Amino acid sequence: MALLPILRYPDPRLHKKAATVSVVDDSIRQLVRDMAETMYAAPGIGLAATQVDVHKRVITIDISEDRSGLIVLVNPVLVSARGEAECEEGCLSVPGYYDNVTRAAEITFRAFTAEGKPFERTVDGLLAVCVQHEMDHLIGKVDSGQRGKRQPGWAIEDDVVEIVAEVLDHPLHAVAHLEHVLDRDAFGDADGQVQVGFHSFPDGRRGAGGRHVDH
Ligand code: K1U
Ligand code: ZN
């Protein structure tokens, strides 16, 4: 098994459309094993092949508490969708962001297992949200978290605060400017105020990120 690097927004490869898998063979099963390992390590509750730069319609999901409920979707297709639900979503390709997204509350989809067996399922709740999120990845859609909320552990360094104060009226400028100054990814919001800086994760890792400032 292998841990695969996860592409990060704004990598243009995240917008590629995944191709239908023609045969579920050993190479697909190896991809599934690697994706599952990568998803568990991230940690995440879902992963689309697009996110690991493999442009095939393959998804892994595990929403179980004890990480024992791996679901594999090869060539998933949406059959029907009902109702609406607003939920907070994260994305491993946009670390540090959580965004409120409106999704169908219940969906029915068809897919193939890693053994190439067709199945159909009707799901709701977090699983429905996660399937929709991962299927978006397969068509190259990424929610960049532009309405993202502040996460616990947020920290902005002094030098970054100065830059933010200077460019607060031009959030997209702020993002481009900070990416240049910090030489790393930063995120922003097209229509609101954005602060951009470093995010401190509970385990001590640090990364650049941004947060929307409510008026
Ligand atoms: O596709 C991805 O980017 C993975 C993403 C899936 C997702 C999360 C929430 C709602 C919809 C889709 C994640 O897994 S983000 C990380 C996350 O939500 C999480 C990680 C560990 C434990 C519990 C949740
Ligand atoms: Zn995602």
Side-chain angles (χ1 to χ4, degrees):
M1 293 215 284
L3 274 183
L4 307 170
I6 297 176
L7 300 179
R8 290 191 171 193
Y9 182 84
D11 193 311
R13 290 171 291 179
L14 284 168
H15 302 299
K16 283 170 107 172
K17 191 169 175 265
T20 301
V21 173
S22 46
V23 187
V24 185
D25 58 12
D26 284 347
S27 73
I28 295 296
R29 279 183 278 277
Q30 184 60 50
L31 172 65
V32 165
R33 280 193 289 274
D34 292 345
M35 283 176 60
E37 189 185 359
T38 305
M39 174 184 76
Y40 288 127
I45 57 170
L47 192 69
T50 307
Q51 292 176 279
V52 291
D53 200 21
V54 177
H55 303 281
K56 294 180 180 167
R57 292 186 63 80
V58 178
I59 288 170
T60 57
I61 292 178
D62 191 344
I63 60 160
S64 70
E65 291 265 314
D66 62 358
R67 317 299 264 156
S68 65
L70 181 64
I71 300 169
V72 176
L73 310 186
V74 178
N75 292 343
V77 286
L78 199 61
V79 175
S80 57
R82 290 156 294 278
E84 272 192 7
E86 185 161 319
C87 43
E88 201 175 56
E89 294 187 12
C91 183
L92 295 175
S93 295
V94 193
Y97 270 94
Y98 281 80
D99 207 3
N100 283 319
V101 179
T102 303
R103 298 282 190 189
E106 184 185 86
I107 59 165
T108 300
F109 66 88
R110 282 189 196 134
F112 291 84
T113 65
E115 288 71 46
K117 223 178 116 194
F119 69 102
E120 180 175 304
R121 260 186 92 169
T122 297
V123 295
D124 60 9
L126 182 58
L127 185 51
V129 169
C130 196
V131 170
Q132 291 171 79
H133 179 103
E134 303 311 333
M135 285 182 72
D136 274 356
H137 275 303
L138 297 182
I139 57 166
K141 256 180 91 176
V142 187
D143 185 339
S144 59
Q146 288 181 346
R147 296 180 301 281
K149 289 183 178 162
R150 182 179 181 171
Q151 293 300 296
W154 175 265
I156 297 177
E157 309 238 315
D158 286 349
D159 53 346
V160 178
V161 171
E162 236 177 76
I163 297 166
V164 169
E166 205 181 296
V167 288
L168 210 51
D169 287 336
H170 306 282
L172 291 182
H173 256 152
V175 173
H177 189 56
L178 278 158
E179 283 185 337
H180 176 70
V181 171
L182 302 172
D183 192 29
R184 62 174 73 196
D185 289 345
F187 307 102
D189 189 326
D191 55 10
Q193 286 188 330
V194 169
Q195 289 188 348
V196 186
F198 291 96
H199 185 90
S200 298
F201 296 92
D203 64 2
R205 282 180 302 127
R206 291 159 70 75
R211 69 178 164 106
H212 187 256
V213 182
D214 289 321
H215 298 283

